[in-house]
Amino acid sequence: MTLVKKSDGVNKASPRLLSRTLERLGPATLDRRGFLVRAGVTAGAGLLARHLPLNVIQPAAAAEQVNTPAGGTTELKHTVCSHCSVGCSVDAIVHNGVWVRQETAFDSPINMGAHCAKGASVREHGHGEHRLRYPMKLVDGKYRRISWDQAIAEVGDKLLQIRQQAGQDAVFWIGSSKHNNEQSYLLRKFVSMWGSNNTDHQARICHSTTVAGVAQTYGYGAMTNSFNDLHRSKAVLFIGSNPAEAHPISMLHFLHAKELGAKMIVVDPRFTRTARFAHHYVRIRPGTDIALVWGILWHIFENGWEDREYIAARTHGMDEVRREVAKWTPVKVSEVTGVPETAVRQAAEMLAKNRPSSVVWCMGVTQHHVGTANVRALSILQLALGNIGIAGGGANIYRGHDNVQGATDVGPNPDSLPGYYGLAEPAWKHFAAVWGVDYAWLLSRFGSKELMEKPGTTVSRWFDGVLENNEFVDQPSNLRAVVFWGHAPNSQTRLPDMKAAMQKLDMLVVIDPYPTMTAAMHGRKDGVYLLPATTQFETQGSCTASNRSIQWRERVIQPLFECKTDHEIMYLFARKFGFANELCKNIKVVNNEPVIEDILREINRSCWTIGYTGCSPERLKLHMHNKHTFNPTTLRAESGPCKGDYYGLPWPCWGTPEMKHPGTPILYDLSKPVAEGGLPFRANWGVAYKGDSLLAADGSATAHSEIDTGYPEFDHVFLKRLGWWNELTPGEQAQADGKNWKTDLSGGIIRVAIKHGCAPFGNARARCNVWNFPDPVPVHREPLMSPRRDLVALYPTYDDKAAFWRLPTLYKSVQAVDFSKDYPLIMTSGRLVEYEGGGDETRSNPWLAELQQAMFVEISPQDAMQIGVRTKEFVWVETPTGARLKVHAMVTPRVPQGTVWMPYHFGGWWMGEDLREHYPEGAAPIVLGEAANTGWTYGYDVVTMMQETKVSLCRVVRT
C-alpha cells in the first residue's frame, strides 16, 4: 500500500478515492451490524484522525471491501485482539479458509463490541503484506531466501558450537509477551532443557517492578480487581497511566463509573487524552512519584482519614510508613514535585472521602530506577485507605502486550520456573516430576548447579552481557548469540550500545512474523537469520488479560506463506539439539507441532502456586462460546453452562479442573468463601518478624473459614496437625506426603484446605515494610539524570553494584555527572493510540499507518519560541549519550516548559538515516521514524533491572 501525499497542507480527496469509498459503502440499505463494521474502519477512523498530532493524516489507497463470495464454508472463529492486555474479543469471519471480515463481539463482557483503532484492524494480520514470508539469511549485506531445513541446520549447528565452546549461558533467548501461555511455558521449558536461565521477555521492561512490588506487599504480582470492577469505584486515581490512548477500551468501564458519579484524578507530567476527562489534574515533575504519594498520605494521616481497623487487622509495618510520611510536609512535597499543596490535599480528600477508591498505574510509574519503590508506595496508599480486597477498590495495573501477564506467570523469566516457583533445587525437582524427567538429567544440562540456581541476565541488559569485560560478568562466558523470539529492539533503551553488541555477536537470530528493527539496525554483513513465525491468529491457545482472566483463542486461519507456529519451531530446534523427546514427553506432537491443549494440561498439572490448575482447555473454550452469559460488571455468569464462574476463570482458579473453582475476580476479598473466589493476603514471608506476628488478626478471615484467624500456608504437617489428613484419598496421600500445597501434584492439600474454607497459601498481613528490599519503606531518590542538582544532594540514588543480575550496574557514578547544563530539557516518553510496542506490526498495518505517519517530539510553546521552531519542522533531539534523533516538532501546551515528550513506537531511522533499504525486500513497515530509545540514557531499577525511560535529559536544536 502507498500512502498518498497531501498537497498545500490540505487533504484533498480525489474523485476516484471518493467514488471507491461510496462503492465500498454499498447500497443504501444496510443492517445495523454491517453499518457498524464499515463505519468503524472508514468514517470512524476519519473522525478520530482530525484530533491526532501534527495533522499528518493522509489518505491511503487501502484494499477494497471484501465481500464474502457465494458457496463454500463460512465459519465464525472466536479470538482475542493481539495488541494490548485489555483482552477484547474479536469475532473473525472465515470463508473457505480466508479471513474475510471481523464482526463486533457485542457478547464479550470485556469490550462489549467496542474496539480501538488497533483492534478494529487486526484482520490485516491475516493478509500480511509486510510479513516475513520465508526463512532468510544475511549474505554480504543482503537477505537471501533459504529453506526451513537449511535454517534449522545452520542456526542449530552454530548454537551447538557456541554451547560446546563457551557454555550454555553464552546464548540469550529473548521470549515474547505475544506468545500465548502455552508457547511461553514451552519456551521456558525449552531454555531449561538447553541448560540455561538466560531468557527473558517484555515484562522486564514494562511491569517487572509492578510484579516485584505488588507481590512483595500483598502476595501476588498482578492486578487485584478488573477493568469492569471500576463500575463500582467512587474515585479513581490514574497515575503514570494514559488509558485513553494505551488501553482505550478500558476507558469505557471507567467512563461508566464516572457517569455514576465517580471522581477522577489524573497525575501525569503531560496533559494527556486521559487527563481531559479528569475532575482533578495534577502535573508532576517526572521522577517524583514517591514524594507525591507520601504527600497524599501525609494529608490522609493528618486528618485521620485512614482505615485504622483495616490497618490493625490486615497489615504489618504501617508504623514505619507513618514515620517516613511524616517527613513529607506540604512544603517539602511541593518543593520536590512541583505540585501545589492545595492540589495534593485535594487528591487525598477525593480518594479518602469517595471510597471505595481505586488506583490505576502503568509504565509512567514502573519505568524508573526506583520503579519497584514507586509501586510499593501506591500499594501502601491503598492499604492505608482499606481499598484492597473490596469491589471498586484495588491496585489496578494495566499491562502492555496482550499476554504479558500470562508470559510473566508461566513463561521465560530468568529468575524463575513457570508459576513463580523460583530456581532453588525443590523447584527444579517439582518440574522434573511434572515433565517426567530425572532431576539429575536436568542438572546435567547446565554448566553447574550454581548456574542452574542463579538468575540469568535480563533483556534490558543483554547487550552489556556482550560488551562488558568478561572479568566483570558473573558467568563463565560473555554472550555470543542472541535469539529475538518475538521482541522489538527499539522498545529498549541505549540502542547504540545494542547495535555495537549485535555487531560483536557470532550470530543474531530473529523469529517473528515481522522482521522488526533488528533486521535493519545491526550493521552486519552476515551471521543474521530471519525465521518467519505466525501471528496468534494462525494458531490457537490461551492468553491472560491484565485482570487475570484467561481466554481461549481459536485458530482463525492456517499459517500464511512459509510461516510456522512458535511451538513448532521450538520442537524443530529441540529435535536438532537432541531433547525433543524430553520436551514433549507428555505432549502429543502432530506434524511437528506440539498439541496446544496438551501443553495447557501440563500447566494445569504444575502451576499450583498461582492457580493455573483449574483452567483446563475445555473450561476456557466453554467460556468463549458463552460470553453472553457473563455480567459485564461482576464478570460472573448468571446462566448457562458456566453459571457461577467468573469470566476467563481469573487466577487463582484453585485445584484441579474437576473442582470447578469459579476463579478469583478480586484478590484478597474476605467477603466471599475461598471456594467462591474469596482470598486473604498470602502468608509468604513466615509467621513472624522481629517478634511481631505476620499472620492476620483474630476475626480477619474469608467467609465460612473454619479457622477464624491468621494461619500459615498449608503443607502435609499442618494438615495432619489440624486432623484433616485423612480427608485425602489414599492416592492423594501418597503424592502429598512430604509436600506442601505448591508441590503436591495430586491437588489434594488444596482441595481439603478449601473444603474447610481456608486459603491454601495461608492468611497473613500485607507487608508495608519489605525488609528484604534496598528500601524497606520507599524513599524518594532523585532520577539518575536529574536536573535538580540541589535535590540530588538531599535525595541521592543507590551505590553502584558490582554484580546484579550477572552484571555490574551503575547508580551513583551516573548521577554524579551533571548533564543538565548542556541538556536542559527533561525528556519523557509514552504511547499513541494508533501503535503498540515497538510498532512493527502496527506500523505495517495500512489502516493504522494512515492515521499517524510521522515521529515527533512534543515541545512547549515557550521552549519552541526559544529554539525558534514551529510545528511540523524537523528538529534534532540530542541526548547525553551522543545520539541525535531527527523528528518533527509538535508545539503544544500538553507538556510544560522544560519538558519534552516522544512516543516510543517508531523505528527504521537511525540518527537521521532512513534504514528502509536494509530491511528484507517488501518487509519494511509502511511508516518509519527515529526510535526514541536510540537516545535514551542509562538507568535501571534496583530490584528488577527495569529500564528508566520516563525521565532523562536532552536538548532540542533546529536542523
Side-chain angles (χ1 to χ4, degrees):
M1 169 186 163
T2 301
L3 297 177
V4 181
K5 287 184 178 283
K6 58 187 177 181
S7 61
D8 302 323
V10 179
N11 286 331
K12 296 180 179 179
S14 69
R16 179 175 178 271
L17 180 63
L18 180 60
S19 64
R20 287 174 58 195
T21 302
L22 292 173
E23 288 170 7
R24 286 200 302 269
L25 289 176
T29 303
L30 283 174
D31 63 23
R32 180 173 179 271
R33 175 165 296 217
F35 172 78
L36 288 171
V37 170
R38 297 183 187 186
V41 295
T42 53
L47 289 171
L48 287 173
R50 284 187 278 176
H51 303 284
L52 292 167
L54 291 178
N55 284 328
V56 294
I57 314 311
Q58 301 168 11
E64 297 289 347
Q65 177 76 23
V66 177
N67 297 312
T68 304
T73 302
T74 299
E75 301 174 277
L76 186 153
K77 298 290 187 178
H78 297 275
T79 187
V80 179
C81 178
S82 61
H83 292 299
C84 85
S85 64
V86 173
C88 298
S89 286
V90 174
D91 285 351
I93 307 302
V94 180
H95 184 78
N96 291 342
V98 178
W99 188 356
V100 295
R101 70 179 188 274
Q102 64 186 79
E103 295 279 8
T104 43
F106 288 108
D107 54 353
S108 167
I110 292 180
N111 60 307
M112 298 179 289
H115 280 304
C116 70
K118 295 186 292 291
S121 60
V122 292
R123 177 178 156 271
E124 288 300 320
H125 291 305
H127 301 280
E129 293 181 15
H130 296 265
R131 292 263 299 270
L132 287 175
R133 301 182 177 221
Y134 33 74
M136 307 182 84
K137 66 181 292 187
L138 191 67
V139 179
D140 196 24
K142 297 292 183 182
Y143 287 106
R144 294 184 181 177
R145 181 176 183 172
I146 59 175
S147 68
W148 269 105
D149 287 345
Q150 181 182 350
I152 296 295
E154 291 185 7
V155 172
D157 286 342
K158 188 64 177 180
L159 291 175
L160 288 172
Q161 181 188 57
I162 291 170
R163 189 179 192 272
Q164 177 67 32
Q165 293 175 348
Q168 300 89 322
D169 288 331
V171 180
F172 193 76
W173 307 84
I174 305 176
S176 181
S177 298
K178 293 296 187 194
H179 289 160
N180 59 36
N181 287 323
E182 295 74 24
Q183 292 167 337
S184 298
Y185 171 89
L186 194 65
L187 183 59
R188 188 53 174 98
K189 184 178 181 181
F190 173 96
V191 176
S192 300
M193 292 183 173
W194 167 263
S196 178
N197 294 319
N198 270 341
T199 185
D200 206 358
H201 63 109
Q202 285 94 335
R204 180 68 45 195
I205 56 175
C206 63
H207 274 287
S208 62
T209 47
T210 287
V211 174
V214 176
Q216 290 293 318
T217 305
Y218 305 148
Y220 279 145
M223 184 175 182
T224 60
N225 294 45
S226 68
F227 304 108
N228 305 63
D229 186 64
L230 290 178
H231 300 178
R232 300 184 279 197
S233 299
K234 301 302 181 185
V236 180
L237 168 64
F238 293 88
I239 178 169
S241 172
N242 180 20
E245 295 199 73
H247 305 88
I249 303 307
S250 74
M251 282 296 288
L252 294 178
H253 297 291
F254 172 72
L255 292 176
H256 178 61
K258 191 180 179 189
E259 289 174 345
L260 297 175
K263 305 299 181 184
M264 181 182 191
I265 309 159
V266 172
V267 177
D268 202 291
R270 173 176 174 256
F271 189 83
T272 62
R273 291 185 178 182
T274 302
R276 71 187 179 95
F277 293 104
H279 295 100
H280 181 42
Y281 168 63
V282 178
R283 197 189 290 277
I284 186 176
R285 178 169 70 92
T288 62
D289 303 273
I290 293 170
L292 178 69
V293 175
W294 284 167
I296 291 172
L297 204 47
W298 186 93
H299 285 286
I300 290 170
F301 287 151
E302 185 74 9
N303 290 280
W305 293 334
E306 72 272 29
D307 190 331
R308 295 178 183 177
E309 182 178 341
Y310 184 101
I311 291 170
R314 302 195 67 188
T315 73
H316 173 269
M318 191 64 81
D319 287 343
E320 289 92 329
V321 173
R322 287 180 184 272
R323 286 193 285 272
E324 177 62 27
V325 167
K327 303 173 185 176
W328 289 95
T329 60
V331 171
K332 185 177 290 186
V333 171
S334 295
E335 169 63 17
V336 171
T337 66
V339 180
E341 175 187 354
T342 54
V344 179
R345 179 187 168 92
Q346 184 178 349
E349 191 167 2
M350 289 175 74
L351 288 171
K353 292 187 176 181
N354 296 279
R355 283 183 262 189
S357 48
S358 176
V359 174
V360 174
W361 72 79
C362 291
M363 294 187 293
V365 163
T366 64
Q367 290 182 328
H368 295 268
H369 87 289
V370 292
T372 302
N374 285 347
V375 165
R376 293 210 58 253
L378 290 169
S379 301
I380 292 167
L381 171 65
Q382 285 297 76
L383 290 173
L385 290 170
N387 276 328
I388 298 299
I390 61 172
N396 290 313
I397 305 108
Y398 290 7
R399 302 295 299 259
H401 292 286
D402 59 312
N403 198 42
V404 68
Q405 182 64 57
T408 307
D409 295 334
V410 299
N413 300 304
D415 58 340
S416 182
L417 288 162
Y420 309 102
Y421 275 82
L423 295 173
E425 182 178 313
W428 284 106
K429 288 184 173 179
H430 169 71
F431 276 95
V434 171
W435 296 339
V437 300
D438 291 334
Y439 168 75
W441 179 81
L442 272 178
L443 177 59
S444 72
R445 299 295 299 167
F446 285 78
S448 67
K449 189 172 189 295
E450 178 189 4
L451 288 171
M452 185 183 195
E453 298 177 7
K454 177 187 291 187
T457 193
T458 63
V459 68
S460 54
R461 297 284 307 280
W462 73 261
F463 42 90
D464 288 324
V466 178
L467 300 174
E468 186 63 69
N469 290 333
N470 183 249
E471 62 182 302
F472 301 123
V473 178
D474 192 19
Q475 65 178 44
S477 169
N478 288 70
L479 297 178
R480 289 178 51 182
V482 172
V483 180
F484 277 81
W485 209 323
H487 180 87
N490 49 314
S491 61
Q492 293 184 234
T493 58
R494 300 172 53 208
L495 287 183
D497 291 330
M498 186 187 294
K499 180 176 180 177
M502 287 178 173
Q503 293 174 341
K504 192 174 180 180
L505 290 170
D506 291 15
M507 184 172 64
L508 177 63
V509 182
V510 175
I511 307 174
D512 201 282
Y514 295 84
T516 76
M517 188 172 163
T518 310
M521 66 172 279
H522 50 70
R524 298 173 64 109
K525 293 293 185 181
D526 54 29
V528 181
Y529 289 83
L530 308 179
L531 308 185
T534 64
T535 67
Q536 287 300 308
F537 302 113
E538 297 149 77
T539 184
Q540 67 277 352
S542 66
C543 57
T544 306
S546 267
N547 70 307
R548 296 168 285 106
S549 285
I550 306 168
Q551 299 183 85
W552 187 265
R553 283 190 179 110
E554 297 176 345
R555 177 176 252 160
V556 177
I557 53 175
Q558 291 299 315
L560 296 178
F561 316 118
E562 294 183 20
C563 298
K564 293 184 181 293
T565 62
D566 293 283
H567 48 292
E568 179 181 355
I569 299 170
M570 292 175 207
Y571 177 77
L572 293 175
F573 275 119
R575 193 168 63 185
K576 172 69 178 178
F577 298 149
F579 56 79
N581 291 339
E582 289 81 2
L583 183 73
C584 294
K585 185 170 185 178
N586 303 312
I587 300 166
K588 187 177 180 180
V589 178
V590 178
N591 296 325
N592 292 328
E593 191 172 359
V595 173
I596 285 289
E597 287 84 351
D598 283 357
I599 302 173
L600 180 53
R601 292 185 186 104
E602 187 168 286
I603 295 173
N604 295 157
R605 293 193 300 271
S606 60
C607 293
W608 306 94
T609 43
I610 51 177
Y612 262 74
T613 51
C615 52
S616 66
E618 293 76 18
R619 294 188 76 189
L620 295 182
K621 291 176 183 180
L622 193 66
H623 278 219
M624 289 301 287
H625 284 270
N626 291 275
K627 295 191 290 285
H628 62 285
T629 65
F630 292 87
N631 184 290
T633 294
T634 65
L635 291 180
R636 195 173 193 187
E638 299 173 333
S639 62
C642 306
K643 186 176 180 179
D645 285 357
Y646 293 96
Y647 183 65
L649 302 171
W651 68 261
C653 180
W654 293 114
T656 62
E658 292 72 26
M659 277 182 60
K660 299 292 185 182
H661 188 271
T664 307
I666 299 174
L667 293 176
Y668 323 118
D669 179 4
L670 300 183
S671 71
K672 300 185 188 75
V674 176
E676 298 177 16
L679 273 185
F681 289 119
R682 184 177 177 182
N684 205 29
W685 308 287
V687 298
Y689 179 70
K690 293 186 175 180
D692 294 331
S693 175
L694 295 177
L695 301 180
D698 292 348
S700 179
T702 48
H704 304 165
S705 173
E706 294 182 21
I707 304 178
D708 191 26
T709 188
Y711 49 87
E713 63 180 352
F714 278 78
D715 62 9
H716 70 115
V717 175
F718 190 32
L719 214 60
K720 292 170 182 174
R721 287 178 178 174
L722 291 168
W724 299 347
W725 179 254
N726 288 333
E727 296 179 32
L728 298 175
T729 68
E732 288 174 337
Q733 288 180 355
Q735 292 190 72
D737 203 23
K739 301 294 177 64
N740 60 32
W741 66 281
K742 295 173 287 190
T743 56
D744 167 23
L745 297 184
S746 75
I749 293 177
I750 289 175
R751 179 182 63 78
V752 171
I754 292 177
K755 176 184 175 183
H756 291 274
C758 297
F761 63 30
N763 178 14
R765 297 170 181 267
R767 287 201 304 175
C768 300
N769 180 345
V770 177
W771 53 83
N772 51 310
F773 272 5
D775 294 322
V777 173
V779 298
H780 170 65
R781 297 180 184 274
E782 278 292 300
L784 296 187
M785 293 284 167
S786 174
R788 292 290 303 273
R789 306 310 296 177
D790 56 326
L791 297 180
V792 168
L794 296 174
Y795 309 105
T797 186
Y798 306 96
D799 292 331
D800 294 348
K801 292 175 174 285
F804 181 48
W805 295 89
R806 301 196 181 189
L807 291 165
T809 306
L810 307 178
Y811 293 95
K812 278 190 175 177
S813 61
V814 174
Q815 194 181 62
V817 181
D818 181 7
F819 292 102
S820 61
K821 293 178 182 178
D822 295 324
Y823 302 91
L825 298 174
I826 296 174
M827 178 173 65
T828 188
S829 65
R831 289 189 176 193
L832 297 172
V833 70
E834 300 86 2
Y835 297 142
E836 197 254 346
D840 297 286
E841 289 181 332
T842 44
R843 286 184 289 109
S844 297
N845 185 319
W847 297 104
L848 300 174
E850 178 180 359
L851 297 178
Q852 181 54 265
Q853 298 179 30
M855 172 59 175
F856 60 94
V857 58
E858 289 186 355
I859 186 168
S860 72
Q862 299 93 330
D863 292 325
M865 186 177 297
Q866 288 185 351
I867 298 165
V869 65
R870 297 180 179 181
T871 292
K872 299 185 185 179
E873 294 179 347
F874 272 113
V875 295
W876 288 105
V877 177
E878 300 177 343
T879 74
T881 66
R884 307 175 77 220
L885 313 182
K886 187 178 181 181
V887 299
H888 288 282
M890 180 183 179
V891 181
T892 173
R894 291 178 190 167
V895 291
Q897 184 175 4
T899 298
V900 300
W901 178 93
M902 289 185 290
Y904 61 80
H905 309 297
F906 289 85
W909 278 26
W910 187 266
M911 302 194 203
E913 178 191 357
D914 188 328
L915 301 180
R916 188 175 296 274
E917 66 178 19
H918 297 287
Y919 285 87
E921 184 178 357
I926 298 167
V927 172
L928 303 181
E930 295 277 11
N933 284 320
T934 301
W936 221 271
T937 49
Y938 191 101
Y940 298 96
D941 178 72
V942 74
V943 174
T944 72
M945 203 71 89
M946 164 71 77
Q947 60 189 16
E948 185 164 53
T949 66
K950 295 309 177 195
V951 54
S952 188
L953 297 173
C954 72
R955 64 183 175 221
V956 177
V957 298
R958 292 174 59 90
T959 56

